Amino acid sequence: MSILDYSEEQRMLKDSTRRLLESHCSFKQRCTHMTSPPGYSKAAWEQMVEVGITSLPFPEDCGGFGSPGVEVAAVMEEIGRATALEPYLASIVLGGSTIARGADAHHLQEFVPAIIAGSMHPALALYEPDHRYALKPMGTKAQAREEGWILNGAKTMVLGGDSATHFLIPAKATDTTLLCLVPASTHGVRVQGYQTVGDLGAADIILEDVPLSPSQVICSGDRAEDAVEYAFDVGVSALCAEAVGTMERLLELTRDYLDTRKQFGVAIGSFQALQHQAVDLLVELEQCRSLSQLAARAVSEQATGRRTAMCSAAKAYISRSARVFAQQAIQLHGGIALTDEYEGSHLARRLTLQSYALGDEDFHLQRYARQPALSGNNAWWD
Amino acid sequence: MQVYSEADTRFRAEVRAFIAEALPAEMARKARSGVALNREDYFGWQRILAEQGWLTPTWPAEHGGCGWTPIQQHIFEVESHLAGAPRIIPFGIKMVGPVIIHFGNEAQKAAYLPGIREATTWWCQGFSEPGAGSDLASLRTRAERDGDHYVINGQKTWTTYAQYADMIFFLARTKPDAPRKQEGISFFVARMDTPGITVRPITTLDGGHEINETFFEDVRIPAENLIGEENKGWSYAKFLLSNERAGIARVGEVRELIRDLHDMTESQPVGNGSLLDDPAFLRRVTSAEIDALAHEVTTLRLLSREQESGRPNPLTSVLKIRGSEVLGRLAELQMEVEGPLAACFRPSPAGDPELPQALLRPALKTGRYLNYRKFGIFGGTTEIQKNILAKTVLDLKG
């Protein structure tokens, strides 16, 4: 097998995901799904469950496939190509990985099968108002009571939050961090859903005196922080792969448009200025592909120190590249890419979401720089 | 995490151990200092490799090759740079050698290959001309048959290290009236001491002397100096340039510059701390490091794909483009580490003949920054690479 490419089996997984999305989430179908509740296609989601891709990131002993890295990346590239709306990233990758990493055996058996079956949608509530990309809870607090806790606070930009059945809430207790699992229907939980720039659903959550039983705490302390950091890295790796898929599709559309659009009596793709700009996109795409593959492998192989470094390296690069890519693709098209009816504009919007979701360039450059530096003559992956 | 195969990881350890043992400390010190290297510096290291059987890895076994895969060649290049070994000058080993092996006759193989394999003959390349750069096929140097000889008249330029060379390989026009300009070109070799060949140094913007102009004035060379068939030179040149692509990513140099940039930033005092404490500079270093990482992984990805399919991959032009950009940026950042001293270049004619000791390093870095502009220009400019990608990968018509 060649280094840092998909294997034969992974390619088959990718192809079958593409076929699934082509038949359920074509651009035309998708435009209908995004304007009617729940904001995605239930039929497509059921198909994803049916073919088993919802089991990919989970450990084998609770019904999963045990591959949160490369296999998930193969699926996410296809989701990115189709700009699919189904909550795979939110429920399976982010929510699912948080539980898979943080929960004890009892909770795993209770929740993971339901997540894989597509009936439980846990959304990881990472961000709080006025704390940008901080991964630790700042203002969300758990106050101990006789039995359990009372939760108060607010979370924002919770991916998949608009259609989630449960929220994973990191909260500050007196001297520790708790990771809490709160059903969306709990008294005191207010959810305001919205659509992100990439058309995926999200929500703001307000927690007002939310009662919490001890069994709703998934884990606490270092284990809670590790579960969030882990799920964040798995999510970053997946989102990078999604961006690669979106770029790949947008480059295809751009290339075809340059080849067919005629001005001054010739295809505009015959102009060298435009050819070179299109090649710039190709060069960027190849860099992003490489970093995405590297991050996915770091996640698959559970190499903790390198895991964070490789995921942040990939996302720092892709966060910048995704926006530049979208801008230049729009410019190469001209007016048509400014219209909502053109697929390319949806891809450009999705690239904007991918740029900002799960940490922007600055956040990840700093996170990368905090990891152990490349030492001596070692390669990055040594 | 695993990026190299186990065999390649073992290979890397073997290469690393050999270089640590065989590379003389003084040679490494000089190469790493950034001062210009001379013929003996380069040949000294090449002879050590020749003895180990590692100088001509890509040649067929019967001519002294050792069968390294593209990934192994890459690993060797990276390890050589990290250890501070002088770089391998490609003109004999990577360029004319394979052309002679593929298209030369037995007498030519016997005459020229040992000198390359044993690092005793220095070759230079006579392709570009004042009027033929990116449009190489419009070259005007002429070769006219006269009995058992060809008579060469014309001018070559950008002849790298002609000042050290024993031999030159070059393209000349043998059929001026050919219907396509590519069709009337032939591939020759000549001794540099042949009467009528003169070399004039070109001083580059960094003050250095790597390149030259080479003039041919009624130069008589024996007819057996023609390689392959007359008027087929263009296809040999294309073959040669496709072999040149193997090292175009320059990942070895990139890794060396990244490592040194880190150390320099950390050891550059600023007040009571170091330059590493400056968030603006750290951000740029981090960003450049990630660009370099992306480039190295892309190189490995494309090389291993080539290794698997056995076919050249047109995407390798991406490596030429990014390699030159990344190297240029790293040289720039290393220069900027020096702060105000980065403006130092050479001794003043009105002052001391030597620079102050503390300014030697900044001056070398500024020179290298200027010198590294060359990577986007030679071996097919960035723009030519983009033309190639637009045509072959994106399938856009000119």
Side-chain angles (χ1 to χ4, degrees), chain B residues 72-362:
Chain B
Q72 289 175 327
Q73 293 169 52
H74 165 87
I75 289 171
F76 175 78
E77 194 200 308
V78 170
E79 292 302 319
S80 299
H81 272 281
L82 290 174
R87 70 186 182 91
I88 306 297
I89 302 298
F91 304 107
I93 296 161
K94 286 189 177 167
M95 295 185 172
V96 77
V99 169
I100 292 170
I101 289 169
H102 277 85
F103 306 108
N105 57 37
E106 291 311 310
Q108 288 166 336
K109 288 178 196 171
Y112 302 124
L113 296 182
I116 300 173
R117 201 164 46 219
E118 290 152 22
T120 52
T121 310
W122 191 298
W123 287 81
C124 65
Q125 177 187 32
F127 275 19
S128 293
E129 296 183 6
S134 291
D135 179 17
L136 182 60
S138 64
L139 60 90
R140 292 166 59 189
T141 294
R142 292 185 56 172
E144 282 161 311
R145 186 74 188 236
D146 181 19
D148 292 340
H149 286 78
Y150 284 95
V151 181
I152 317 293
N153 276 288
Q155 179 189 349
K156 295 291 175 181
T157 193
W158 318 135
T159 331
T160 302
Y161 291 134
Q163 70 266 38
Y164 300 152
D166 307 296
M167 297 288 298
I168 185 169
F169 61 91
F170 62 97
L171 298 174
R173 197 162 291 287
T174 33
K175 195 177 173 197
D177 54 353
R180 286 179 69 243
K181 59 186 177 182
Q182 287 84 353
E183 282 165 11
I185 292 170
S186 299
F187 192 111
F188 295 97
V189 300
R191 291 171 59 99
M192 286 297 280
D193 60 6
T194 315
I197 296 182
T198 48
V199 172
R200 189 184 75 82
I202 296 174
T203 302
T204 41
L205 80 173
D206 57 329
H209 173 209
E210 285 180 343
I211 53 179
N212 304 272
E213 291 178 293
T214 305
F215 298 89
F216 293 81
E217 205 176 340
D218 293 328
V219 176
R220 292 180 68 81
I221 58 170
E224 63 256 29
N225 286 19
L226 171 73
I227 304 290
E229 290 175 51
E230 206 178 60
N231 300 324
K232 292 275 175 67
W234 185 252
S235 63
Y236 309 149
K238 283 206 329 205
F239 169 84
L240 179 151
L241 293 170
S242 72
N243 288 328
E244 190 190 2
R245 293 159 67 87
I248 57 173
R250 300 198 171 267
V251 172
E253 263 156 298
V254 167
R255 281 280 292 284
E256 185 186 351
L257 262 69
I258 280 281
R259 180 195 61 198
D260 295 348
L261 175 61
H262 243 277
D263 297 348
M264 286 168 187
T265 309
E266 206 166 1
S267 59
Q268 180 67 41
V270 181
N272 293 325
S274 90
L275 189 54
L276 211 54
D277 307 325
D278 176 344
F281 197 79
L282 179 64
R283 187 189 195 282
R284 298 209 292 145
V285 168
T286 308
S287 186
E289 188 176 317
I290 292 171
D291 288 355
L293 170 62
H295 176 59
E296 178 162 356
V297 178
T298 307
T299 304
L300 286 169
R301 214 160 47 75
L302 298 184
L303 282 181
S304 74
R305 213 185 273 179
E306 225 172 73
Q307 191 167 309
E308 204 169 80
S309 70
R311 285 191 310 272
N313 184 341
L315 267 177
T316 42
S317 284
V318 168
L319 305 180
K320 171 71 168 58
I321 294 171
R322 287 299 285 205
S324 50
E325 287 172 357
V326 168
L327 262 187
R329 176 135 8 97
L330 290 173
E332 196 176 353
L333 278 169
Q334 280 206 7
M335 173 176 73
E336 288 180 37
V337 168
E338 303 294 340
L341 308 190
C344 174
F345 187 42
R346 58 188 164 208
S348 155
D352 289 311
E354 296 281 328
L355 287 171
Q357 190 65 29
L359 296 185
L360 290 176
R361 190 181 85 163

Side-chain angles (χ1 to χ4, degrees), chain A residues 1-5 255 270 272 275-276 280 286-287 290 301 317 362 368 377-378 380 382, chain B residues 1-2 12 255 259 283 289 291 296-298 301 304-305 308 322 386-387 394-395 397:
Chain A
M1 188 190 93
S2 67
I3 297 174
L4 298 164
D5 263 326
R255 184 257 152 228
S270 64
Q272 195 183 38
Q275 287 186 351
H276 284 194
D280 290 344
E286 290 303 318
Q287 312 306 307
S290 298
E301 294 174 24
Y317 192 98
D362 280 344
Y368 175 85
N377 290 343
N378 281 348
W380 278 275
D382 283 327
Chain B
M1 46 187 294
Q2 189 165 356
R12 183 174 71 167
R255 281 280 292 284
R259 180 195 61 198
R283 187 189 195 282
E289 188 176 317
D291 288 355
E296 178 162 356
V297 178
T298 307
R301 214 160 47 75
S304 74
R305 213 185 273 179
E308 204 169 80
R322 287 299 285 205
K386 288 186 180 179
N387 289 348
L394 296 181
D395 193 26
K397 287 140 198 97

Side-chain angles (χ1 to χ4, degrees), chain A residues 204-356:
Chain A
D204 274 14
I205 304 163
I206 294 175
L207 305 153
E208 245 170 23
D209 295 330
V210 178
L212 208 63
S213 71
S215 71
Q216 283 178 277
V217 175
I218 295 290
C219 54
S220 61
D222 290 346
R223 184 153 182 194
E225 285 173 22
D226 169 73
V228 171
E229 290 270 349
Y230 171 78
F232 182 74
D233 278 338
V234 177
V236 162
S237 161
L239 188 59
C240 286
E242 190 192 289
V244 166
T246 308
M247 289 183 194
E248 195 179 79
R249 175 72 185 139
L250 186 52
L251 180 57
E252 284 171 16
L253 285 181
T254 306
R255 184 257 152 228
D256 290 349
Y257 190 78
L258 290 174
D259 202 33
T260 46
R261 169 72 173 169
K262 287 208 164 95
Q263 288 287 277
F264 309 104
V266 292
I268 60 172
S270 64
F271 299 135
Q272 195 183 38
L274 302 194
Q275 287 186 351
H276 284 194
Q277 280 190 51
V279 167
D280 290 344
L281 298 185
L282 174 69
V283 173
E284 277 306 308
L285 171 58
E286 290 303 318
Q287 312 306 307
C288 294
R289 208 189 282 286
S290 298
L291 290 175
S292 162
Q293 285 287 324
L294 195 64
R297 271 164 181 73
V299 163
S300 275
E301 294 174 24
Q302 306 278 331
T304 312
R306 294 285 89 186
R307 186 196 79 206
T308 294
M310 296 298 101
C311 288
S312 275
K315 186 61 167 64
Y317 192 98
I318 289 172
S319 280
R320 178 191 48 192
S321 198
R323 282 202 317 280
V324 174
F325 201 99
Q327 292 160 9
Q328 203 156 318
I330 291 172
Q331 184 67 26
L332 279 165
H333 279 86
I336 183 74
L338 300 178
T339 67
D340 189 57
E341 69 177 297
Y342 182 59
E343 184 187 345
S345 70
H346 293 239
L347 292 156
R349 285 212 302 260
R350 187 68 161 245
L351 284 165
T352 312
L353 172 67
Q354 289 154 353
S355 176
Y356 293 114

